[in-house]
Amino acid sequence: MVRLPYTTAVTTLFSFGLLFAFGQLRDFSRKLIDWLKSTNAKSCSIAALEQGCYAPICLGLEDFYVRRFYLRVQDCFCRPIASSPDAWIDVVERYSNDNNKTMHRTSNTTKCLNLGSYNYLGFAAADEYCTPRVIESLKKYSPSTCSVRVDGGTTKLHVELEELVARFVGKPAAILFGMGYVTNSAIIPCLIGKGGLIISDSLNHNSIVNGARGSGAAVRVFQHNSPSHLEEVLREQIADGQPRTHRPWKKIIVIIEGIYSMEGELCNLPEIIAVCKKYKAYTYVDEAHSIGAIGKSGRGVCELLGVDPADVDIMMGTFTKSFGSCGGYIAASKEIIQHLKYACPAHIYATSMSPPAVQQVISAITVVLGEDGSNRGAQKLARIRENSNFFRSELQKMGFEVLGDNDSPVMPIMLYNPGKIPAFSRECLKENVAIVTVAFPATPLLLSRARICISASHTREDLIKGLEVISKVGDLVGIKYFPVEPPKQAQNSLKKRE
């Protein structure tokens, strides 16, 4: 967990307070000017509504935040690219004539080091094994099935991938979905409903949060990655039962993530599973950022932490990170998968995954497993692990506050102050390094950060280039919150003097 220094918290709150105060002042001034210019200062009445005066759709604090906070730094987000998300990308240059209210694209591009994409194993770019097979599948099956899975949307490739995913993660069966976000938000309501209890990690992804809310089940939250607090919540909820009636819960599901996407931390899976077994609760693990990226053979957090996949009841993952495609999957027992095929709206009503996207995943997993006749998969896994640990170690030595655990390819650098968000992003872009910055509402208001994602396609020279730029910009912006570790040569000379 992040422990925010007192002075940093005060200055960050002051900055947000200043922005809020001036934003409210500008809104008041605008209303006053409009009122003075108006011939009729009265608000819309029923008669005016009948004449076509609509109530505003965008209103309240969310609209205020977009206008007075986000639009100031809009140039740091939604940057279009004109290349595949490889180690280096072509970022389209943009300009604004109205203080970032609207952005206009140009025909110019800038080649930048890509430290923001989820291309963990490097499969998103052209690949000697995957790309020819994807092109062949495009010719054979077309870009879309133009149908749902239960009608004409199931091809031979879909069946093959479901069997391959089940074998890869170590579960009896699997089911595919066309979108990773929907995999959580549509599946959770099919697994549990009214009378059930969901216990969710406090930092779970928004797709899990929305899925839990839409299920109708009671939702309780436990402290991030804390098995002891999870046990307290479980014991308390089992003792109290359902609200008002105090009947026993119909079922309890504990939902966690393999790697938390905004923290880069691994879950305490062995301890959490032990607690769930003790209290007979089901375990649901979201492996969106961990499957393919960690573990000796890329099988995710279970393999890395020595957990038997049979101990995890529902395993969720996506193909958008390590496998360079789109969509997601659920792997579980044959009974659960069969139930989802009958009951899940995302399977019954949504168009199935594009066949070329399915083929991309099949080819990528084949390479990872070494079934393509080469050791490229093992090399990629070793490289992503080495690159991630090297980059994280060097950032920490430079004095940055870096979240996450070793082996995780996700490493957030804490920025905190709202003024440092655009400053860090813009200065890195000037040095041809593409960085993703993350702020509220994706993170808590005071915990803004830059999120770096490392890829196996990065060379050591790429990483050193990125470190040099980040260090330079970090000094300029003032985000090195910890003491800088002296170089080894300086340490040796100090020891000799002693």
Side-chain angles (χ1 to χ4, degrees):
M1 296 294 289
V2 179
R3 298 198 176 188
L4 189 61
Y6 179 76
T7 53
T8 304
V10 170
T11 55
T12 303
L13 279 172
F14 177 79
S15 299
F16 274 112
L18 200 63
L19 285 169
F20 182 81
F22 275 96
Q24 291 286 1
L25 181 62
R26 291 185 66 183
D27 279 4
F28 176 77
S29 301
R30 172 55 58 191
K31 289 178 182 177
L32 183 62
I33 292 171
D34 291 344
W35 182 81
L36 292 174
K37 288 182 177 179
S38 175
T39 55
N40 182 10
K42 294 182 179 180
S43 60
C44 289
S45 61
I46 295 176
L49 287 171
E50 292 176 352
Q51 296 174 4
C53 183
Y54 290 90
I57 292 177
C58 301
L59 193 64
L61 285 177
E62 290 182 5
D63 180 55
F64 175 82
Y65 182 83
V66 170
R67 290 184 292 104
R68 299 306 182 193
F69 288 72
Y70 174 74
L71 290 183
R72 292 172 175 265
V73 297
Q74 186 180 186
D75 60 302
C76 300
F77 301 92
C78 301
R79 289 172 177 153
I81 65 172
S83 65
S84 60
D86 205 357
W88 290 79
I89 55 175
D90 296 327
V91 179
V92 178
E93 296 178 7
R94 297 182 296 172
Y95 68 93
S96 176
N97 295 323
D98 53 8
N99 296 319
N100 276 0
K101 187 174 182 180
T102 56
M103 303 297 300
H104 304 279
R105 294 190 303 272
T106 70
S107 58
N108 301 325
T109 61
T110 303
K111 196 171 187 63
C112 296
L113 177 64
N114 182 11
L115 294 178
S117 297
Y118 304 135
N119 186 23
Y120 295 146
L121 295 183
F123 284 117
D127 183 84
E128 62 187 70
Y129 183 84
C130 301
T131 305
R133 287 160 176 79
V134 171
I135 294 172
E136 186 62 32
S137 69
L138 177 61
K139 294 176 182 178
K140 183 177 180 179
Y141 293 99
S142 85
S144 173
T145 62
C146 296
S147 183
V148 299
R149 287 292 303 274
V150 296
D151 293 338
T154 299
T155 68
K156 178 183 176 182
L157 294 177
H158 291 83
V159 177
E160 181 182 349
L161 180 55
E162 286 178 339
E163 294 172 353
L164 181 59
V165 166
R167 177 164 63 90
F168 183 63
V169 302
K171 300 298 285 185
I175 184 173
L176 307 181
F177 298 93
M179 182 181 178
Y181 188 96
V182 168
T183 306
N184 276 328
S185 59
I187 283 297
I188 294 173
C190 294
L191 295 174
I192 192 169
K194 188 176 181 181
L197 173 65
I198 295 173
I199 303 181
S200 179
D201 188 286
S202 61
L203 296 183
N204 272 342
H205 191 263
N206 179 263
S207 60
I208 296 174
V209 174
N210 282 341
R213 288 173 177 171
S215 68
V219 181
R220 301 293 182 267
V221 176
F222 69 96
Q223 293 173 6
H224 173 56
N225 232 359
S226 173
S228 60
H229 189 246
L230 169 63
E231 185 169 10
E232 289 179 20
V233 174
L234 273 167
R235 188 187 300 117
E236 178 183 347
Q237 292 302 317
I238 291 173
D240 290 345
Q242 298 183 41
R244 293 189 298 274
T245 64
H246 299 290
R247 293 175 180 172
W249 298 103
K250 293 180 180 178
K251 70 179 81 168
I252 301 175
I253 298 180
V254 175
I255 305 179
I256 57 176
E257 295 185 37
I259 291 179
Y260 291 88
S261 58
M262 288 298 170
E263 288 71 34
E265 295 176 350
L266 298 168
C267 65
N268 292 324
L269 189 58
E271 295 87 347
I272 288 174
I273 285 179
V275 173
C276 290
K277 282 185 174 182
K278 180 178 179 181
Y279 293 93
K280 303 298 184 290
Y282 293 103
T283 310
Y284 182 114
V285 179
D286 177 344
E287 287 218 76
H289 287 267
S290 55
I291 192 66
I294 60 174
K296 186 178 180 181
S297 59
R299 286 178 165 87
V301 69
C302 288
E303 182 179 49
L304 182 69
L305 301 179
V307 173
D308 186 349
D311 291 334
V312 179
D313 299 290
I314 299 108
M315 300 178 73
M316 175 271 178
T318 65
F319 305 127
T320 54
K321 279 78 177 177
S322 296
F323 307 115
S325 186
C326 63
Y329 68 85
I330 292 290
S333 65
K334 291 182 179 180
E335 292 77 15
I336 291 176
I337 298 302
Q338 199 65 30
H339 164 71
L340 295 177
K341 288 182 177 180
Y342 292 147
C344 182
H347 180 78
I348 299 172
Y349 301 112
T351 302
S352 62
M353 276 182 70
S354 168
V358 175
Q359 180 61 59
Q360 167 67 23
V361 183
I362 293 173
S363 302
I365 295 179
T366 301
V367 173
V368 171
L369 292 174
E371 296 177 0
D372 63 327
S374 74
N375 64 343
R376 291 176 57 238
Q379 290 176 354
K380 284 178 176 290
L381 290 167
R383 197 176 304 122
I384 182 64
R385 187 163 51 249
E386 292 169 5
N387 286 354
S388 300
N389 292 337
F390 168 75
F391 206 86
R392 182 185 302 279
S393 174
E394 293 301 310
L395 286 175
Q396 292 171 339
K397 290 176 183 177
M398 291 175 181
F400 292 102
E401 184 175 358
V402 185
L403 304 185
D405 298 316
N406 285 335
D407 289 350
S408 170
V410 182
M411 47 199 76
I413 300 175
M414 299 308 298
L415 302 177
Y416 296 120
N417 196 287
K420 296 180 180 183
I421 301 169
F424 185 75
S425 178
R426 290 165 183 162
E427 291 301 321
C428 284
L429 189 64
K430 288 179 183 178
E431 299 289 340
N432 297 337
V433 173
I435 293 284
V436 171
T437 51
V438 189
F440 180 84
T443 66
L445 188 66
L446 301 183
L447 302 182
S448 302
R449 64 200 68 179
R451 183 177 66 175
I452 292 173
C453 294
I454 299 299
S455 171
S457 62
H458 287 131
T459 64
R460 184 55 61 96
E461 290 73 22
D462 293 338
L463 299 179
I464 292 173
K465 157 75 174 176
L467 288 166
E468 290 173 350
V469 170
I470 291 173
S471 179
K472 176 183 175 182
V473 175
D475 289 327
L476 179 65
V477 177
I479 57 172
K480 293 184 177 180
Y481 295 105
F482 295 137
V484 178
E485 183 177 314
K488 290 184 178 180
Q489 293 180 353
Q491 289 180 345
N492 294 335
S493 61
L494 286 171
K495 288 179 179 179
K496 289 179 181 179
R497 289 178 185 177
E498 291 175 358

